[in-house]
Amino acid sequence: MQYFRYQDNELYCEDVLLKELAEEFGTPLYVYSRRQIVENFRAFEAPLVGMDHVICYALKANANLSLLKLLLQEGAGADVVSGGELHLAIQAGFPPERITFAGVGKREDEIDYALRSNIFSLNAESPQELQLISLVALRLQTPARVALRINPDIDPQSHPYITTGLKQNKFGISAEEALRVFQFAASLPGIQVVGVHTHIGSQITKIEPFVETAKFLAELVRKLREAGINVQHVDFGGGFGVQYANALRHEALPLEPDNAPPPKLGQFVEAVLPVLKETGCFLWFEPGRSIVADAGVLLTKVLYTKENGARKFVVVDAGMNDLLRPSLYNAYHQIVPLKIETYEHHRVDVVGPICETGDFLARDRMLSKVKRNDYLSILTAGAYGFSSTSNYNARPRPAEILVNGEKVRVIREREAVERLR
Ligand code: LLP
């Protein structure tokens, strides 16, 4: 997150002082660095230059229309997972031939919408879904291009809730059944089989599971071709991990326990390319987190500090409705002051205003000493931050700001209380 840095002990996003944004627009507030997003996308793309490929940004990570338009300008395609996301991708202007639609539970109206929109492919996950896609395609008299999501049974060694490529997960078609289901798909009149898809999980910080997956895919493509099924597209999915702990360093900040940074984005891609190249296929990737996570922060204000027995709490104005990840996955986000005023730390729980014990942003955390009305920044919040917000406790969703150098743009207004229903 090189575009967030301290200067004279105050935190900046690019050339903008974050405290000024917090004062002007209020908190909780999401702030994104345009340059960071562009740089992440380019780092992903660099090893792929000269090869047939599309990087389909996974909208679920953050589907703000302004960010989508920015990524479109950079040449991204779109990976969508619902009719709503498809609508946003089309609204942003993504060309249909660079849109793919994944998801274990697509409704008939969503399949209909995807086929009418003539997107590149539906990534199917079961024989029943294939049957339904074929029926809708026949009704619309348009062949449905389909890739099959195959589950390679590889352990990505990440959080169990975001592991998707294991046998026991609900996603995909098992490796043992792959050939049979491909043959079934090829026999359906409305379907044109174009490729094989996989996605083994999210926030994967090791290279090996990706390399294993690439080998699995290369072998599968070979077997399919032997069986007369000529797949020409490999969709490798997303899942590339980012650094959450120690994302920002300053001598006044406590050193966080997890010290090993994950590989750089380009290194993940470089590691799988030699294997994927062998297939001769057109390559698709679906990164979400690695493009936007470190480009976003959530600003919040300290409402109160309090002590219950031995436990110290910092009560802030952002809750689990604004950033769900800590509550849902016990996810770790570094939290830093917008202004460094002390080198002293204390061990605290950073909690939100919501009526749930599970409403916390950090637990048992060494934090710079703070007081009422101080501002804090929750780092690496650009992915699965705003996109997982809710109105729980009838709390309006936060505003979103995009910073570009010295320029500041509101890319989503704070939701008005009057609009709550
Ligand atoms: N493709 C498919 C089919 C996916 O299911 C996902 C994420 C992606 C691509 C993008 O994965 P990424 O590059 O962002 O890791 N809410 C969780 C993450 C859930 C990920 C779901 N699928 C979190 O906050 O960590």
Side-chain angles (χ1 to χ4, degrees):
M1 50 178 343
Q2 73 198 86
Y3 291 105
F4 293 87
R5 67 194 157 84
Y6 283 104
Q7 194 180 315
D8 299 330
N9 289 335
E10 298 216 69
L11 191 59
Y12 283 73
C13 172
E14 301 195 16
D15 302 328
V16 174
L17 187 60
L18 284 170
K19 186 159 171 260
E20 280 176 8
L21 294 184
E23 280 167 355
E24 182 174 351
F25 298 101
T27 49
L29 183 71
Y30 276 100
V31 181
Y32 308 109
S33 156
R34 185 182 188 279
R35 287 183 191 165
Q36 188 71 62
I37 295 175
V38 168
E39 235 166 71
N40 291 344
F41 186 83
R42 291 182 185 171
F44 199 104
E45 180 132 76
L48 292 163
V49 169
M51 298 183 62
D52 283 338
H53 73 277
V54 187
I55 301 170
C56 287
Y57 169 65
L59 265 71
K60 65 192 74 148
N62 189 327
N64 183 293
L65 262 186
S66 300
L67 304 190
L68 297 185
K69 286 182 184 159
L70 173 60
L71 287 163
L72 171 66
Q73 266 174 31
E74 286 295 308
D79 162 40
V80 304
V81 77
S82 67
E85 283 192 357
L86 178 54
H87 167 76
L88 288 172
I90 290 171
Q91 227 189 319
F94 284 95
E97 65 274 14
R98 278 197 269 141
I99 301 180
T100 95
F101 192 150
V104 69
K106 301 180 198 75
R107 289 195 315 256
E108 184 168 348
D109 61 291
E110 293 177 311
I111 294 170
D112 187 286
Y113 179 30
L115 292 181
R116 281 178 199 273
S117 307
N118 200 20
I119 66 168
F120 176 73
S121 71
L122 285 154
N123 295 337
E125 305 211 10
S126 68
Q128 287 185 9
E129 184 191 344
L130 284 165
Q131 267 169 327
L132 180 59
I133 295 175
S134 178
L135 280 175
V136 180
L138 290 176
R139 193 182 70 228
L140 295 176
Q141 296 185 330
T142 172
R145 284 176 298 274
V146 166
L148 262 57
R149 177 166 175 179
I150 306 299
N151 190 334
D153 198 23
I154 287 169
D155 184 359
Q157 303 159 37
S158 72
H159 191 284
Y161 278 22
I162 47 179
T163 293
T164 53
L166 286 176
K167 248 186 195 160
Q168 67 262 33
N169 299 135
K170 69 176 175 179
F171 299 99
I173 294 156
S174 72
E176 299 88 70
E177 282 177 299
L179 183 58
R180 194 180 59 74
V181 182
F182 262 100
Q183 280 163 335
F184 173 65
S187 76
L188 292 170
I191 284 191
Q192 183 193 346
V193 177
V194 292
V196 44
H197 174 225
T198 190
H199 170 78
I200 58 168
S202 197
Q203 183 51 15
I204 300 165
T205 52
K206 303 214 167 73
I207 283 187
E208 297 74 39
F210 288 116
V211 174
E212 252 187 275
T213 303
K215 288 184 183 155
F216 168 85
L217 284 171
E219 180 60 13
L220 180 60
V221 168
R222 198 187 55 75
K223 279 196 203 137
L224 289 170
R225 287 185 179 148
E226 258 174 32
I229 299 169
N230 186 19
V231 293
Q232 280 155 359
H233 296 262
V234 165
D235 183 340
F236 193 71
F240 312 96
V242 303
Q243 181 166 9
Y244 282 99
N246 293 305
L248 202 64
R249 298 295 317 130
H250 184 288
E251 53 185 3
L253 300 177
L255 192 64
E256 309 208 291
D258 179 6
N259 256 324
K264 290 205 178 358
L265 194 43
Q267 288 175 312
F268 282 121
V269 185
E270 275 161 23
V272 297
L273 269 192
V275 187
L276 292 179
K277 257 187 205 165
E278 278 171 34
T279 63
C281 282
F282 195 106
L283 300 180
W284 297 67
F285 293 89
E286 302 171 343
R289 186 190 314 267
S290 50
I291 305 298
V292 288
D294 68 347
V297 297
L298 175 61
L299 306 186
T300 185
K301 190 175 186 168
V302 176
L303 299 176
Y304 308 104
T305 60
K306 61 187 265 185
E307 285 180 32
N308 284 355
R311 207 132 181 132
K312 291 194 173 78
F313 293 92
V314 173
V315 184
V316 297
D317 67 357
M320 63 191 284
N321 75 298
D322 303 300
L323 181 64
L324 181 62
R325 306 191 69 254
S327 301
L328 191 60
Y329 313 111
N330 207 13
Y332 194 101
H333 287 264
Q334 189 181 8
I335 303 180
V336 300
L338 288 196
K339 187 172 169 84
I340 290 185
E341 290 179 295
T342 170
Y343 277 51
E344 277 184 273
H345 311 141
H346 52 178
R347 189 170 290 281
V348 296
D349 285 6
V350 181
V351 298
I354 287 181
C355 59
E356 301 270 353
T357 304
D359 176 32
F360 63 90
L361 297 161
R363 264 186 174 161
D364 211 11
R365 176 77 59 91
M366 286 308 282
L367 194 78
S368 299
K369 273 202 167 163
V370 291
K371 54 185 185 315
R372 233 172 98 61
N373 294 330
D374 281 354
Y375 288 112
L376 294 172
S377 177
I378 304 166
L379 303 182
T380 330
Y384 306 106
F386 190 93
S387 61
S388 305
T389 55
S390 76
N391 287 128
Y392 188 38
N393 279 197
R395 287 168 51 84
R397 287 181 166 83
E400 295 182 285
I401 304 281
L402 183 60
V403 170
N404 179 16
E406 290 179 342
K407 284 190 248 151
V408 168
R409 190 150 64 90
V410 179
I411 56 172
R412 189 190 307 269
E413 299 281 348
R414 185 175 303 283
E415 201 170 18
V417 175
E418 300 72 37
R419 307 251 347 225
L420 296 176
R421 291 284 176 269

PDB file of all heavy atoms in Angstrom, residues 58 60 79 102 149 162 197 199 201-203 238-240 286-289 325 329 384, ligand 1:
ATOM      1  N   ALA A  58     -12.923  -9.388 -10.366  1.00  0.00           N
ATOM      2  CA  ALA A  58     -14.067  -9.989  -9.654  1.00  0.00           C
ATOM      3  C   ALA A  58     -14.842  -8.887  -8.931  1.00  0.00           C
ATOM      4  O   ALA A  58     -14.385  -8.363  -7.916  1.00  0.00           O
ATOM      5  CB  ALA A  58     -13.574 -11.042  -8.667  1.00  0.00           C
ATOM      6  N   LYS A  60     -17.234  -8.830  -7.007  1.00  0.00           N
ATOM      7  CA  LYS A  60     -17.667  -9.013  -5.615  1.00  0.00           C
ATOM      8  C   LYS A  60     -16.723  -8.325  -4.618  1.00  0.00           C
ATOM      9  O   LYS A  60     -17.130  -7.969  -3.532  1.00  0.00           O
ATOM     10  CB  LYS A  60     -17.784 -10.511  -5.289  1.00  0.00           C
ATOM     11  CG  LYS A  60     -16.473 -11.238  -5.336  1.00  0.00           C
ATOM     12  CD  LYS A  60     -16.674 -12.719  -5.302  1.00  0.00           C
ATOM     13  CE  LYS A  60     -17.192 -13.188  -6.640  1.00  0.00           C
ATOM     14  NZ  LYS A  60     -16.780 -14.519  -7.022  1.00  0.00           N
ATOM     15  N   ASP A  79     -15.651 -10.372 -13.908  1.00  0.00           N
ATOM     16  CA  ASP A  79     -16.141 -11.654 -13.397  1.00  0.00           C
ATOM     17  C   ASP A  79     -17.323 -11.341 -12.485  1.00  0.00           C
ATOM     18  O   ASP A  79     -17.161 -10.654 -11.478  1.00  0.00           O
ATOM     19  CB  ASP A  79     -15.017 -12.339 -12.613  1.00  0.00           C
ATOM     20  CG  ASP A  79     -15.528 -13.429 -11.696  1.00  0.00           C
ATOM     21  OD1 ASP A  79     -16.439 -14.175 -12.105  1.00  0.00           O
ATOM     22  OD2 ASP A  79     -15.015 -13.552 -10.570  1.00  0.00           O
ATOM     23  N   ALA A 102     -19.873 -16.589 -12.899  1.00  0.00           N
ATOM     24  CA  ALA A 102     -19.653 -17.786 -12.073  1.00  0.00           C
ATOM     25  C   ALA A 102     -20.744 -17.859 -11.006  1.00  0.00           C
ATOM     26  O   ALA A 102     -21.528 -16.930 -10.861  1.00  0.00           O
ATOM     27  CB  ALA A 102     -18.290 -17.696 -11.406  1.00  0.00           C
ATOM     28  N   ARG A 149     -16.733 -25.462 -14.101  1.00  0.00           N
ATOM     29  CA  ARG A 149     -15.872 -25.215 -12.939  1.00  0.00           C
ATOM     30  C   ARG A 149     -15.531 -26.539 -12.284  1.00  0.00           C
ATOM     31  O   ARG A 149     -16.414 -27.242 -11.775  1.00  0.00           O
ATOM     32  CB  ARG A 149     -16.573 -24.301 -11.935  1.00  0.00           C
ATOM     33  CG  ARG A 149     -15.728 -24.100 -10.690  1.00  0.00           C
ATOM     34  CD  ARG A 149     -16.235 -22.972  -9.865  1.00  0.00           C
ATOM     35  NE  ARG A 149     -15.490 -22.849  -8.619  1.00  0.00           N
ATOM     36  CZ  ARG A 149     -15.731 -21.925  -7.714  1.00  0.00           C
ATOM     37  NH1 ARG A 149     -16.699 -21.056  -7.912  1.00  0.00           N
ATOM     38  NH2 ARG A 149     -15.041 -21.865  -6.615  1.00  0.00           N
ATOM     39  N   ILE A 162     -13.269 -19.340   3.231  1.00  0.00           N
ATOM     40  CA  ILE A 162     -12.982 -18.845   1.881  1.00  0.00           C
ATOM     41  C   ILE A 162     -12.143 -19.843   1.086  1.00  0.00           C
ATOM     42  O   ILE A 162     -11.503 -19.518   0.108  1.00  0.00           O
ATOM     43  CB  ILE A 162     -12.339 -17.426   1.898  1.00  0.00           C
ATOM     44  CG1 ILE A 162     -11.194 -17.324   2.908  1.00  0.00           C
ATOM     45  CG2 ILE A 162     -13.374 -16.369   2.196  1.00  0.00           C
ATOM     46  CD1 ILE A 162     -10.507 -15.960   2.944  1.00  0.00           C
ATOM     47  N   HIS A 197     -12.815 -24.056 -15.904  1.00  0.00           N
ATOM     48  CA  HIS A 197     -12.698 -22.992 -14.913  1.00  0.00           C
ATOM     49  C   HIS A 197     -12.354 -23.606 -13.565  1.00  0.00           C
ATOM     50  O   HIS A 197     -12.794 -24.710 -13.250  1.00  0.00           O
ATOM     51  CB  HIS A 197     -14.049 -22.270 -14.818  1.00  0.00           C
ATOM     52  CG  HIS A 197     -14.124 -21.238 -13.721  1.00  0.00           C
ATOM     53  ND1 HIS A 197     -15.200 -21.134 -12.879  1.00  0.00           N
ATOM     54  CD2 HIS A 197     -13.268 -20.265 -13.340  1.00  0.00           C
ATOM     55  CE1 HIS A 197     -15.001 -20.129 -12.030  1.00  0.00           C
ATOM     56  NE2 HIS A 197     -13.839 -19.587 -12.285  1.00  0.00           N
ATOM     57  N   HIS A 199     -11.378 -22.190  -9.269  1.00  0.00           N
ATOM     58  CA  HIS A 199     -11.070 -21.112  -8.306  1.00  0.00           C
ATOM     59  C   HIS A 199     -10.951 -21.815  -6.963  1.00  0.00           C
ATOM     60  O   HIS A 199     -11.931 -22.330  -6.443  1.00  0.00           O
ATOM     61  CB  HIS A 199     -12.186 -20.066  -8.293  1.00  0.00           C
ATOM     62  CG  HIS A 199     -12.034 -19.089  -7.169  1.00  0.00           C
ATOM     63  ND1 HIS A 199     -11.144 -18.037  -7.205  1.00  0.00           N
ATOM     64  CD2 HIS A 199     -12.634 -19.027  -5.955  1.00  0.00           C
ATOM     65  CE1 HIS A 199     -11.221 -17.362  -6.067  1.00  0.00           C
ATOM     66  NE2 HIS A 199     -12.108 -17.942  -5.291  1.00  0.00           N
ATOM     67  N   GLY A 201      -9.917 -20.770  -3.897  1.00  0.00           N
ATOM     68  CA  GLY A 201     -10.122 -20.090  -2.622  1.00  0.00           C
ATOM     69  C   GLY A 201      -9.611 -18.670  -2.677  1.00  0.00           C
ATOM     70  O   GLY A 201      -9.240 -18.189  -3.750  1.00  0.00           O
ATOM     71  N   SER A 202      -9.607 -18.020  -1.527  1.00  0.00           N
ATOM     72  CA  SER A 202      -9.259 -16.607  -1.503  1.00  0.00           C
ATOM     73  C   SER A 202      -8.208 -16.347  -0.426  1.00  0.00           C
ATOM     74  O   SER A 202      -8.043 -17.158   0.482  1.00  0.00           O
ATOM     75  CB  SER A 202     -10.528 -15.810  -1.214  1.00  0.00           C
ATOM     76  OG  SER A 202     -10.379 -14.463  -1.548  1.00  0.00           O
ATOM     77  N   GLN A 203      -7.520 -15.208  -0.540  1.00  0.00           N
ATOM     78  CA  GLN A 203      -6.459 -14.837   0.404  1.00  0.00           C
ATOM     79  C   GLN A 203      -5.460 -15.996   0.573  1.00  0.00           C
ATOM     80  O   GLN A 203      -5.118 -16.420   1.678  1.00  0.00           O
ATOM     81  CB  GLN A 203      -7.061 -14.372   1.749  1.00  0.00           C
ATOM     82  CG  GLN A 203      -6.082 -13.884   2.813  1.00  0.00           C
ATOM     83  CD  GLN A 203      -5.102 -12.814   2.288  1.00  0.00           C
ATOM     84  OE1 GLN A 203      -5.294 -12.229   1.240  1.00  0.00           O
ATOM     85  NE2 GLN A 203      -4.032 -12.567   2.995  1.00  0.00           N
ATOM     86  N   GLY A 238      -9.352 -16.561  -9.140  1.00  0.00           N
ATOM     87  CA  GLY A 238      -8.613 -15.519  -8.409  1.00  0.00           C
ATOM     88  C   GLY A 238      -8.003 -16.122  -7.162  1.00  0.00           C
ATOM     89  O   GLY A 238      -7.588 -17.274  -7.178  1.00  0.00           O
ATOM     90  N   GLY A 239      -7.952 -15.344  -6.096  1.00  0.00           N
ATOM     91  CA  GLY A 239      -7.502 -15.896  -4.818  1.00  0.00           C
ATOM     92  C   GLY A 239      -6.154 -15.421  -4.328  1.00  0.00           C
ATOM     93  O   GLY A 239      -5.688 -15.828  -3.259  1.00  0.00           O
ATOM     94  N   PHE A 240      -5.483 -14.548  -5.091  1.00  0.00           N
ATOM     95  CA  PHE A 240      -4.116 -14.141  -4.766  1.00  0.00           C
ATOM     96  C   PHE A 240      -4.103 -13.267  -3.510  1.00  0.00           C
ATOM     97  O   PHE A 240      -4.772 -12.248  -3.447  1.00  0.00           O
ATOM     98  CB  PHE A 240      -3.492 -13.423  -5.976  1.00  0.00           C
ATOM     99  CG  PHE A 240      -3.705 -14.208  -7.243  1.00  0.00           C
ATOM    100  CD1 PHE A 240      -4.753 -13.923  -8.099  1.00  0.00           C
ATOM    101  CD2 PHE A 240      -2.893 -15.299  -7.522  1.00  0.00           C
ATOM    102  CE1 PHE A 240      -4.982 -14.688  -9.243  1.00  0.00           C
ATOM    103  CE2 PHE A 240      -3.107 -16.080  -8.661  1.00  0.00           C
ATOM    104  CZ  PHE A 240      -4.158 -15.775  -9.519  1.00  0.00           C
ATOM    105  N   GLU A 286      -9.323 -14.155 -12.582  1.00  0.00           N
ATOM    106  CA  GLU A 286     -10.420 -13.429 -11.920  1.00  0.00           C
ATOM    107  C   GLU A 286      -9.987 -12.847 -10.575  1.00  0.00           C
ATOM    108  O   GLU A 286     -10.569 -13.165  -9.543  1.00  0.00           O
ATOM    109  CB  GLU A 286     -11.592 -14.393 -11.661  1.00  0.00           C
ATOM    110  CG  GLU A 286     -12.151 -15.063 -12.878  1.00  0.00           C
ATOM    111  CD  GLU A 286     -13.154 -16.145 -12.529  1.00  0.00           C
ATOM    112  OE1 GLU A 286     -13.186 -16.598 -11.369  1.00  0.00           O
ATOM    113  OE2 GLU A 286     -13.907 -16.543 -13.434  1.00  0.00           O
ATOM    114  N   PRO A 287      -8.974 -11.993 -10.556  1.00  0.00           N
ATOM    115  CA  PRO A 287      -8.564 -11.448  -9.264  1.00  0.00           C
ATOM    116  C   PRO A 287      -9.533 -10.380  -8.774  1.00  0.00           C
ATOM    117  O   PRO A 287     -10.064  -9.597  -9.558  1.00  0.00           O
ATOM    118  CB  PRO A 287      -7.203 -10.809  -9.581  1.00  0.00           C
ATOM    119  CG  PRO A 287      -7.314 -10.412 -11.017  1.00  0.00           C
ATOM    120  CD  PRO A 287      -8.198 -11.440 -11.680  1.00  0.00           C
ATOM    121  N   GLY A 288      -9.776 -10.360  -7.479  1.00  0.00           N
ATOM    122  CA  GLY A 288     -10.594  -9.311  -6.876  1.00  0.00           C
ATOM    123  C   GLY A 288      -9.774  -8.586  -5.837  1.00  0.00           C
ATOM    124  O   GLY A 288      -9.282  -7.471  -6.030  1.00  0.00           O
ATOM    125  N   ARG A 289      -9.519  -9.305  -4.721  1.00  0.00           N
ATOM    126  CA  ARG A 289      -8.819  -8.728  -3.578  1.00  0.00           C
ATOM    127  C   ARG A 289      -7.477  -8.075  -3.964  1.00  0.00           C
ATOM    128  O   ARG A 289      -7.174  -6.968  -3.547  1.00  0.00           O
ATOM    129  CB  ARG A 289      -8.550  -9.850  -2.567  1.00  0.00           C
ATOM    130  CG  ARG A 289      -7.957  -9.374  -1.261  1.00  0.00           C
ATOM    131  CD  ARG A 289      -7.490 -10.564  -0.417  1.00  0.00           C
ATOM    132  NE  ARG A 289      -8.450 -11.635  -0.353  1.00  0.00           N
ATOM    133  CZ  ARG A 289      -9.368 -11.778   0.598  1.00  0.00           C
ATOM    134  NH1 ARG A 289      -9.435 -10.917   1.579  1.00  0.00           N
ATOM    135  NH2 ARG A 289     -10.208 -12.788   0.579  1.00  0.00           N
ATOM    136  N   ARG A 325     -15.540  -8.215   7.799  1.00  0.00           N
ATOM    137  CA  ARG A 325     -14.511  -9.256   7.772  1.00  0.00           C
ATOM    138  C   ARG A 325     -14.001  -9.687   9.160  1.00  0.00           C
ATOM    139  O   ARG A 325     -13.875 -10.883   9.420  1.00  0.00           O
ATOM    140  CB  ARG A 325     -13.333  -8.847   6.877  1.00  0.00           C
ATOM    141  CG  ARG A 325     -13.741  -8.462   5.459  1.00  0.00           C
ATOM    142  CD  ARG A 325     -12.552  -8.325   4.520  1.00  0.00           C
ATOM    143  NE  ARG A 325     -11.944  -9.607   4.272  1.00  0.00           N
ATOM    144  CZ  ARG A 325     -10.797  -9.997   4.781  1.00  0.00           C
ATOM    145  NH1 ARG A 325     -10.110  -9.183   5.547  1.00  0.00           N
ATOM    146  NH2 ARG A 325     -10.334 -11.194   4.531  1.00  0.00           N
ATOM    147  N   TYR A 329     -14.763 -13.566   9.815  1.00  0.00           N
ATOM    148  CA  TYR A 329     -13.631 -14.499   9.669  1.00  0.00           C
ATOM    149  C   TYR A 329     -12.566 -14.306  10.726  1.00  0.00           C
ATOM    150  O   TYR A 329     -11.471 -14.850  10.575  1.00  0.00           O
ATOM    151  CB  TYR A 329     -12.906 -14.281   8.329  1.00  0.00           C
ATOM    152  CG  TYR A 329     -13.761 -14.182   7.126  1.00  0.00           C
ATOM    153  CD1 TYR A 329     -13.887 -12.983   6.444  1.00  0.00           C
ATOM    154  CD2 TYR A 329     -14.427 -15.300   6.638  1.00  0.00           C
ATOM    155  CE1 TYR A 329     -14.668 -12.885   5.307  1.00  0.00           C
ATOM    156  CE2 TYR A 329     -15.207 -15.210   5.499  1.00  0.00           C
ATOM    157  CZ  TYR A 329     -15.324 -13.996   4.845  1.00  0.00           C
ATOM    158  OH  TYR A 329     -16.086 -13.905   3.717  1.00  0.00           O
ATOM    159  N   TYR A 384     -13.847  -6.488  -0.323  1.00  0.00           N
ATOM    160  CA  TYR A 384     -14.837  -7.112   0.561  1.00  0.00           C
ATOM    161  C   TYR A 384     -15.102  -6.222   1.777  1.00  0.00           C
ATOM    162  O   TYR A 384     -15.409  -6.711   2.851  1.00  0.00           O
ATOM    163  CB  TYR A 384     -14.406  -8.522   0.975  1.00  0.00           C
ATOM    164  CG  TYR A 384     -14.096  -9.398  -0.220  1.00  0.00           C
ATOM    165  CD1 TYR A 384     -12.781  -9.726  -0.564  1.00  0.00           C
ATOM    166  CD2 TYR A 384     -15.114  -9.854  -1.038  1.00  0.00           C
ATOM    167  CE1 TYR A 384     -12.500 -10.488  -1.695  1.00  0.00           C
ATOM    168  CE2 TYR A 384     -14.840 -10.621  -2.164  1.00  0.00           C
ATOM    169  CZ  TYR A 384     -13.537 -10.932  -2.480  1.00  0.00           C
ATOM    170  OH  TYR A 384     -13.275 -11.683  -3.587  1.00  0.00           O
TER     171      TYR A 384
HETATM  172  N1  LLP B   1     -13.618 -16.015  -8.836  1.00  0.00           N
HETATM  173  C1  LLP B   1     -14.514 -16.701  -8.100  1.00  0.00           C
HETATM  174  C2  LLP B   1     -15.296 -17.753  -8.734  1.00  0.00           C
HETATM  175  C3  LLP B   1     -14.677 -16.405  -6.729  1.00  0.00           C
HETATM  176  O1  LLP B   1     -15.556 -17.095  -6.004  1.00  0.00           O
HETATM  177  C4  LLP B   1     -13.908 -15.376  -6.144  1.00  0.00           C
HETATM  178  C5  LLP B   1     -14.065 -15.026  -4.715  1.00  0.00           C
HETATM  179  C6  LLP B   1     -12.996 -14.663  -6.952  1.00  0.00           C
HETATM  180  C7  LLP B   1     -12.866 -15.028  -8.296  1.00  0.00           C
HETATM  181  C8  LLP B   1     -12.136 -13.542  -6.431  1.00  0.00           C
HETATM  182  O2  LLP B   1     -11.262 -13.988  -5.459  1.00  0.00           O
HETATM  183  P1  LLP B   1     -10.128 -13.011  -4.850  1.00  0.00           P
HETATM  184  O3  LLP B   1      -9.114 -12.747  -5.928  1.00  0.00           O
HETATM  185  O4  LLP B   1     -10.800 -11.774  -4.417  1.00  0.00           O
HETATM  186  O5  LLP B   1      -9.567 -13.771  -3.707  1.00  0.00           O
HETATM  187  N2  LLP B   1     -15.539 -12.239   1.598  1.00  0.00           N
HETATM  188  C9  LLP B   1     -14.273 -12.926   1.688  1.00  0.00           C
HETATM  189  C10 LLP B   1     -13.764 -13.360   0.329  1.00  0.00           C
HETATM  190  C11 LLP B   1     -14.734 -14.229  -0.429  1.00  0.00           C
HETATM  191  C12 LLP B   1     -14.210 -14.623  -1.795  1.00  0.00           C
HETATM  192  C13 LLP B   1     -15.256 -15.277  -2.612  1.00  0.00           C
HETATM  193  N3  LLP B   1     -14.891 -15.604  -3.943  1.00  0.00           N
HETATM  194  C14 LLP B   1     -13.268 -12.032   2.409  1.00  0.00           C
HETATM  195  O6  LLP B   1     -13.631 -10.933   2.816  1.00  0.00           O
HETATM  196  O7  LLP B   1     -12.125 -12.444   2.611  1.00  0.00           O
END
